[in-house]
């Protein structure tokens, strides 16, 4: 089964304690598509400007990523810049230049419309709603962020009513529900729409809430995190890609999918930007999956 992703494709400038990259390939849809394309064909719906390097398109074309829904608009590509602290859970956004993203409206080509699995990356909830008019997807995953929780809460709640799964971090969950206790918060969030809540807790792994079930997945112990940018989107790509690959969303498959999400996220953190994610294959994924098993079996 195919997956469609709608989100940002960006040129990122990132500083971490390990170094700096400038105008590197980034964006939520990019990380998602690179991760999910290890499992299934991905239809990418996004926009880039005239300055978007051909080599980045070629990198995606070498994988089962369909770029028919990638619009080429006049102007510059969306740019984002961030700096991480020594504590890599803390980052400052230094600059966001929307550029061609400012006038973006998702347009799903026929193949993207017919994908059964859809991931709505972190964009304005009004744009996420536009996607529902164009899709026949039966399983929809969602990402969002603080600016939409604060700036467009009612539209976001409308989106929430229509999705099956949300992938969210602890700060966003607290902000969205007003509940400090994360377990109560996740339960409240389920009542707003998504029966599946995946709560990301960075280096402490994640919790899956599916119906009444709770599953705790570890994070991979990494001696050096070079750049966590896109880890969340890579997680979402591994998670949704695994579900689509098996075309099942029962709790046993969801547990496996959470581990695959964690595997892909761990690869992304190993190098800057998409460097590591773009080079891994099935053997790397299988080896790290086994490492996760060993880590959590007792
Ligand atoms: P994450 O580390 O999972 O938060 O994802 C970081 C990616 O999201 C970067 O590659 C950015 O280009 C992209 N990004 C940052 N801010 C935004 C935004 N406001 N809208 C869409 N994408 C964004």
């Amino acid at each position: 089964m195919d997956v469609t992703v709608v989100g940002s494709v960006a040129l990122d400038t990132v500083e971490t304690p390990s170094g700096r990259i400038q105008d590197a390939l980034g964006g939520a849809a990019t990380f998602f598509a690179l991760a999910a394309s290890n499992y299934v064909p991905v239809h990418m719906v996004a926009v880039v400007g005239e300055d978007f390097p051909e080599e980045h398109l070629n990198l995606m074309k070498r994988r089962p990523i369909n770029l028919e829904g990638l619009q080429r608009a006049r102007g510059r590509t969306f740019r984002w810049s961030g700096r991480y602290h020594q504590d890599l859970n803390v980052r400052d956004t230094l600059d966001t230049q929307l550029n061609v993203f400012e006038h973006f409206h998702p347009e799903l080509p026929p193949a993207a419309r017919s994908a059964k699995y859809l991931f709505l990356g972190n964009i304005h909830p009004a744009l996420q709603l536009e996607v529902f008019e164009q899709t026949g997807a039966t399983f929809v995953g969602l990402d969002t962020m603080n600016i939409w929780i604060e700036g467009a809460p009612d539209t976001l709640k409308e989106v929430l009513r229509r999705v099956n799964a949300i992938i969210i971090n602890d700060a966003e969950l607290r902000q969205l529900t007003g509940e400090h206790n994360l377990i109560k918060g996740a339960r409240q969030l389920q009542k707003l729409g998504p029966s599946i809540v995946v709560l990301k807790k960075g280096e402490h792994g994640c919790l899956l809430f599916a119906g009444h079930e709770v599953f705790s997945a570890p994070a991979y112990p990494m001696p050096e995190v070079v750049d966590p940018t896109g880890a969340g989107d890579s997680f979402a790509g591994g998670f949704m890609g695994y579900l689509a690959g098996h075309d099942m969303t029962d709790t046993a498959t969801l547990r496996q999918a959470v581990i695959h999400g964690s595997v892909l996220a761990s690869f992304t953190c190993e190098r800057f930007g998409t460097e590591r994610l773009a080079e891994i294959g099935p053997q790397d994924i299988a080896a790290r999956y086994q490492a996760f098993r060993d880590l959590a079996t007792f």
Side-chain angles (χ1 to χ4, degrees):
M1 291 291 157
D2 299 7
V3 179
T4 292
V5 58
V6 183
S8 58
V9 171
L11 296 175
D12 286 348
T13 297
V14 179
E15 271 178 64
T16 79
S18 305
R20 182 176 193 272
I21 44 164
Q22 180 148 5
D23 287 340
L25 174 62
T30 306
F31 285 103
F32 180 96
L34 289 174
S37 62
N38 285 291
Y39 303 88
V40 286
V42 181
H43 305 277
M44 184 190 258
V45 178
V47 63
V48 294
E50 294 155 310
D51 57 348
F52 192 70
E54 202 62 30
E55 62 182 277
H56 296 338
L57 295 174
N58 291 337
L59 184 147
M60 293 194 260
K61 283 180 194 160
R62 284 198 291 274
R63 310 177 71 99
I65 301 176
N66 180 350
L67 299 180
E68 243 183 300
L70 180 66
Q71 302 165 26
R72 281 275 207 156
R74 290 188 68 172
R76 276 158 62 83
T77 301
F78 171 64
R79 278 172 169 72
W80 175 79
S81 166
R83 184 191 292 135
Y84 288 83
H85 295 214
Q86 283 293 339
D87 172 359
L88 290 158
N89 294 309
V90 187
R91 92 177 166 201
D92 302 322
T93 290
L94 300 179
D95 192 25
T96 303
Q97 296 172 23
L98 290 177
N99 300 330
V100 294
F101 208 40
E102 195 177 344
H103 301 292
F104 172 61
H105 287 278
E107 283 169 32
L108 277 61
R113 285 171 185 244
S114 60
K116 196 169 157 186
Y117 291 78
L118 167 70
F119 187 69
L120 298 171
N122 163 34
I123 51 175
H124 195 292
L127 296 181
Q128 293 176 326
L129 277 183
E130 285 179 22
V131 179
F132 283 106
E133 318 297 314
Q134 308 175 48
T135 178
T138 51
F139 188 92
V140 184
L142 177 75
D143 184 23
T144 192
M145 72 185 292
N146 56 355
I147 48 176
W148 315 129
I149 298 171
E150 262 166 48
D154 294 336
T155 320
L156 180 60
K157 288 207 170 120
E158 221 176 309
V159 176
L160 278 171
R161 278 197 284 277
R162 301 174 71 168
V163 303
N164 305 87
I166 182 168
I167 300 175
I168 194 166
N169 69 32
D170 42 8
E172 291 161 351
L173 179 68
R174 288 190 173 115
Q175 196 184 7
L176 189 54
T177 60
E179 174 58 63
H180 192 77
N181 180 289
L182 294 171
I183 311 302
K184 283 189 192 159
R187 294 302 186 201
Q188 276 189 26
L189 191 48
Q190 284 178 309
K191 289 191 188 133
L192 295 176
S195 61
I196 299 159
V197 173
V198 181
L199 178 61
K200 295 176 289 182
K201 294 161 67 60
E203 76 219 61
H204 304 300
C206 70
L207 285 175
L208 163 75
F209 299 83
H212 298 294
E213 268 207 44
V214 188
F215 171 61
S216 171
Y220 187 65
M222 299 179 64
E224 191 189 13
V225 172
V226 172
D227 175 12
T229 307
D233 308 307
S234 308
F235 178 97
F239 176 75
M240 293 283 296
Y242 186 85
L243 294 178
H246 288 75
D247 193 20
M248 286 197 293
T249 55
D250 61 290
T251 46
T253 314
L254 284 166
R255 285 173 179 234
Q256 297 283 341
V258 162
I259 300 298
H260 279 266
S262 309
V263 164
L264 272 295
S266 72
F267 282 122
T268 290
C269 296
E270 283 182 355
R271 298 237 211 104
F272 276 102
T274 58
E275 280 170 22
R276 183 74 176 120
L277 192 58
E279 69 174 23
I280 58 158
Q283 284 180 348
D284 304 290
I285 293 174
R288 186 144 307 170
Y289 176 86
Q290 189 54 46
F292 266 89
R293 273 202 98 98
D294 296 344
L295 187 68
T297 305
F298 60 89

